[in-house]
Amino acid sequence: RRKKVATNGVLDYLRTTLPRSALLELYADEARGRFVCRAILQQLSDVGQQIVMRLTCCGGSFPLGGQPNVHGIKEWINNQQKLPQLLKELKKWAIIQSDKNPDISLTEEFNLGLQASIRSLDSSPWVPLSQKTMIEMAGGSGVSRYRPISLSDLDQHTQNQWDAVLHFMVGTENGRDPPTAVIRFLEETGLMQPDSEFRGHRENAPLVITSSGYEFMLLSTHQQVWHFVEQYLQSLEGHKKSSQLLTEAMLFLISLSFAKVGDGYSSSSLTKRGRTLMRDLSLFGLLYVQTLNEKTSIFYPTQIALQLVQSSSSSSSMSWSLSTKTLDGALADPRPQNSSHLAIIVQTNFQLCAYTTSELHKSMLGLFCDVHTIRRLPNVIFMIISRDSVKSAFALGVKAEQILRFLEKHSHPNLRGGSKSPIPQNVEDQIWLWDRERQRLQWTEVWKIDCHDPAMFQAVKEFAVEKNAHSWSSMSKGVIYVYFSKADQVNAFATQWRAKTVSTEGL
């Protein structure tokens, strides 16, 4: 089983987790390999893209150059000092051969896949269905089975999926529980655990949020979704056909990035494993699945599905645009309702003004705000960020960086833009100062050894230093403090030294 490495997206997972043979298998897929090659090419640097495209046009191989009368790749770039690192990166992606041939050659799988991508005019691995086609697939008029799906419907689907998860984590009463598979994932990932104070049978113990769960709540939706997807991919490793399942999952996720939000695609265009993935990923809000008849379903990729392959900066800007759109609609009709919008204004006097009507947002803000200072209007909440409330959040495992990122991500649209932070400088600095208060003292468990004379002090200290057990000592006080984990070893030496000294004096 491979060592687990923290990743932040599909391509990062490909680069850091999958072996070279698995990458070549993805490139060689007949139907979708060209889209994998296109996705990899798009995330390379400008120089890297130029080198790969020129190698493809030159038959897949070209001399490295750098020798008299030999023109090669070195002549293609100005800053040749970056070339070794760039070639190393291309080898890691299994784009070029890893042998010591003087020529730089593309791997056959990537070369063929990229050529197929260049020749192909398809923008997506699947053909989008027209509304007329979907009605016909539903059978006749399709009134009972088919209904048009708008972009706002897809955004709301994703929001509902994750609101259900977060409501369940904070224990909101009368909240809609997420699917059983998602609840199981919450426990497997350590975000929730059985209540240790429950007196009944352990199997019946309710789940409660952990410190890792509090950190999870303050992540962006993109990071939360990827956390679950990554756990899902890791769970496939224990399957008998883990290699085939993981390959299909990566092909499906990358193919989603080339789909268009709002377009519907037939499940019949997927493989059998692909249809299983479609149902599983719909639990995470990546897809919206609409059943037309007993044999056919339509799946709609959501915005968050495309963000799994795109860069984090692109994801952030998309999240801001979506939240701005939702907020504008909510403020146009500010009557209390079940709304997912959240817009925060942090004032220099540490008062937080949150435009929201959601109990979930109130619970999330209560992680680091003083809930005793809350004041409510129909669509606005006022709370105070205090030292005690922030330090309580730290005690739960929340970090200062996460609090500030949460406030910035959900800041009011009118505060965004430009180089100035939407959080007042004095508030940001104070949160960092409160965080550093925890680092003023570091508790170390030690064992005290009393030394009766300078000779014993010197001998025991030298032994403790040699064994990396010495924490602190004072010759004038005749005491040595050693790390508790190694106290037995140093104590045994001190006892032996005393016994040896006594026997010597007796002679």
Side-chain angles (χ1 to χ4, degrees):
R1 193 179 177 91
R2 291 187 294 272
K3 181 180 178 181
K4 295 180 181 179
V5 180
T7 56
N8 55 29
V10 174
L11 294 184
D12 191 34
Y13 186 89
L14 279 178
R15 186 176 62 87
T16 59
T17 306
L18 296 189
R20 184 181 179 89
S21 58
L23 288 171
L24 294 175
E25 187 176 355
L26 294 177
Y27 300 154
D29 186 84
E30 182 177 357
R32 296 159 293 178
R34 64 183 186 271
F35 291 97
V36 179
C37 296
R38 187 185 301 178
I40 300 298
L41 180 69
Q42 289 173 350
Q43 65 84 41
L44 295 177
S45 64
D46 292 342
V47 177
Q49 292 179 8
Q50 285 289 330
I51 290 178
V52 172
M53 290 301 296
R54 291 189 183 192
L55 284 173
T56 302
C57 296
C58 293
S61 180
F62 206 76
L64 179 61
Q67 301 177 358
N69 301 323
V70 177
H71 294 284
I73 293 177
K74 289 186 176 181
E75 281 69 36
W76 292 353
I77 60 177
N78 295 325
N79 190 352
Q80 297 185 6
Q81 294 180 350
K82 295 183 178 180
L83 183 59
Q85 182 62 33
L86 181 59
L87 295 178
K88 182 179 178 180
E89 183 73 9
L90 295 179
K91 288 180 181 178
K92 192 163 187 175
W93 278 112
I95 294 177
I96 61 176
Q97 301 283 359
S98 57
D99 53 29
K100 297 184 179 180
N101 192 305
D103 291 349
I104 302 299
S105 303
L106 296 174
T107 56
E108 182 180 1
E109 294 82 354
F110 188 87
N111 188 27
L112 293 176
L114 185 57
Q115 289 182 11
S117 176
I118 295 173
R119 293 193 300 266
S120 174
L121 297 178
D122 296 334
S123 60
S124 170
W126 311 298
V127 178
L129 302 176
S130 65
Q131 185 172 345
K132 179 181 179 181
T133 302
M134 287 187 274
I135 293 176
E136 292 175 351
M137 292 171 64
S141 62
V143 174
S144 60
R145 294 280 184 143
Y146 170 74
R147 70 178 183 87
I149 303 299
S150 64
L151 294 179
S152 59
D153 291 333
L154 295 177
D155 292 340
Q156 191 61 46
H157 170 69
T158 300
Q159 193 67 51
N160 290 341
Q161 292 293 95
W162 288 101
D163 278 355
V165 172
L166 297 179
H167 275 294
F168 182 78
M169 292 179 68
V170 300
T172 303
E173 295 183 1
N174 302 323
R176 180 177 66 89
D177 288 350
T180 304
V182 175
I183 296 176
R184 185 177 67 249
F185 270 39
L186 287 172
E187 187 173 3
E188 290 177 353
T189 55
L191 301 178
M192 301 190 76
Q193 64 184 12
D195 190 352
S196 58
E197 299 180 358
F198 184 72
R199 296 183 179 276
H201 198 279
R202 180 176 174 81
E203 293 182 356
N204 298 326
L207 295 178
V208 294
I209 192 169
T210 64
S211 59
S212 299
Y214 283 115
E215 295 180 33
F216 175 83
M217 287 183 62
L218 297 184
L219 297 175
S220 66
T221 305
H222 166 78
Q223 292 171 313
Q224 290 171 348
V225 173
W226 174 246
H227 184 86
F228 272 70
V229 172
E230 185 178 28
Q231 176 66 26
Y232 177 82
L233 294 175
Q234 291 173 354
S235 69
L236 298 179
E237 296 180 6
H239 198 277
K240 291 186 297 184
K241 298 182 179 180
S242 59
S243 178
Q244 298 94 317
L245 288 174
L246 193 58
T247 298
E248 180 64 32
M250 300 312 299
L251 287 169
F252 188 79
L253 289 171
I254 293 176
S255 296
L256 279 178
S257 69
F258 290 95
K260 183 179 178 182
V261 178
D263 283 349
Y265 303 90
S266 174
S267 61
S268 60
S269 61
L270 304 176
T271 63
K272 183 178 180 180
R273 294 193 184 103
R275 288 190 288 272
T276 301
L277 288 166
M278 177 193 71
R279 291 190 294 269
D280 292 343
L281 295 179
S282 66
L283 300 176
F284 306 140
L286 288 168
L287 303 174
Y288 178 82
V289 178
Q290 187 179 46
T291 302
L292 296 184
N293 52 54
E294 296 178 356
K295 296 183 179 180
T296 305
S297 298
I298 301 175
F299 66 94
Y300 296 82
T302 61
Q303 189 72 59
I304 201 70
L306 275 65
Q307 293 178 18
L308 290 179
V309 175
Q310 294 167 350
S311 64
S312 58
S313 59
S314 298
S315 300
S316 177
S317 62
M318 284 186 184
S319 298
W320 274 18
S321 62
L322 288 174
S323 62
T324 301
K325 177 182 176 182
T326 307
L327 176 65
D328 289 341
L331 294 182
D333 183 17
R335 292 170 295 178
Q337 54 184 328
N338 184 18
S339 176
S340 62
H341 80 273
L342 173 63
I344 295 174
I345 298 175
V346 182
Q347 301 175 359
T348 55
N349 61 354
F350 291 83
Q351 178 173 265
L352 182 145
C353 172
Y355 289 87
T356 182
T357 57
S358 169
E359 288 296 319
L360 173 62
H361 293 151
K362 175 188 169 184
S363 300
M364 296 175 70
L365 293 171
L367 288 176
F368 54 86
C369 293
D370 189 348
V371 294
H372 298 99
T373 63
I374 186 171
R375 290 174 295 152
R376 303 198 68 162
L377 293 176
N379 66 331
V380 185
I381 296 176
F382 296 94
M383 305 176 82
I384 298 295
I385 301 174
S386 66
R387 178 177 181 272
D388 290 341
S389 62
V390 171
K391 297 200 76 171
S392 296
F394 293 157
L396 294 172
V398 180
K399 301 175 183 177
E401 180 184 3
Q402 293 172 323
I403 294 176
L404 294 171
R405 188 169 62 240
F406 179 84
L407 293 174
E408 182 176 0
K409 176 181 178 294
H410 294 285
S411 61
H412 195 285
N414 292 345
L415 299 178
R416 301 171 186 169
S419 58
K420 191 175 181 180
S421 171
I423 307 172
Q425 191 64 49
N426 67 312
V427 176
E428 183 175 348
D429 291 343
Q430 188 60 65
I431 292 177
W432 281 116
L433 289 174
W434 286 331
D435 182 46
R436 290 170 186 170
E437 285 181 6
R438 301 184 299 160
Q439 303 172 3
R440 290 179 180 177
L441 294 176
Q442 289 186 345
W443 295 97
T444 304
E445 198 171 17
V446 297
W447 183 269
K448 179 183 176 183
I449 299 177
D450 293 309
C451 300
H452 304 296
D453 56 69
M456 178 183 176
F457 177 88
Q458 192 64 32
V460 175
K461 180 180 178 181
E462 290 179 358
F463 179 83
V465 171
E466 181 183 347
K467 299 298 182 180
N468 294 321
H470 180 266
S471 176
W472 183 85
S473 59
S474 172
M475 172 72 81
S476 60
K477 296 181 180 179
V479 295
I480 299 175
Y481 288 95
V482 296
Y483 297 121
F484 188 82
S485 59
K486 299 184 178 181
D488 292 341
Q489 192 176 6
V490 181
N491 265 331
F493 174 82
T495 302
Q496 293 176 1
W497 191 92
R498 290 193 193 99
K500 183 179 179 181
T501 303
V502 171
S503 63
T504 302
E505 292 175 352
L507 295 176

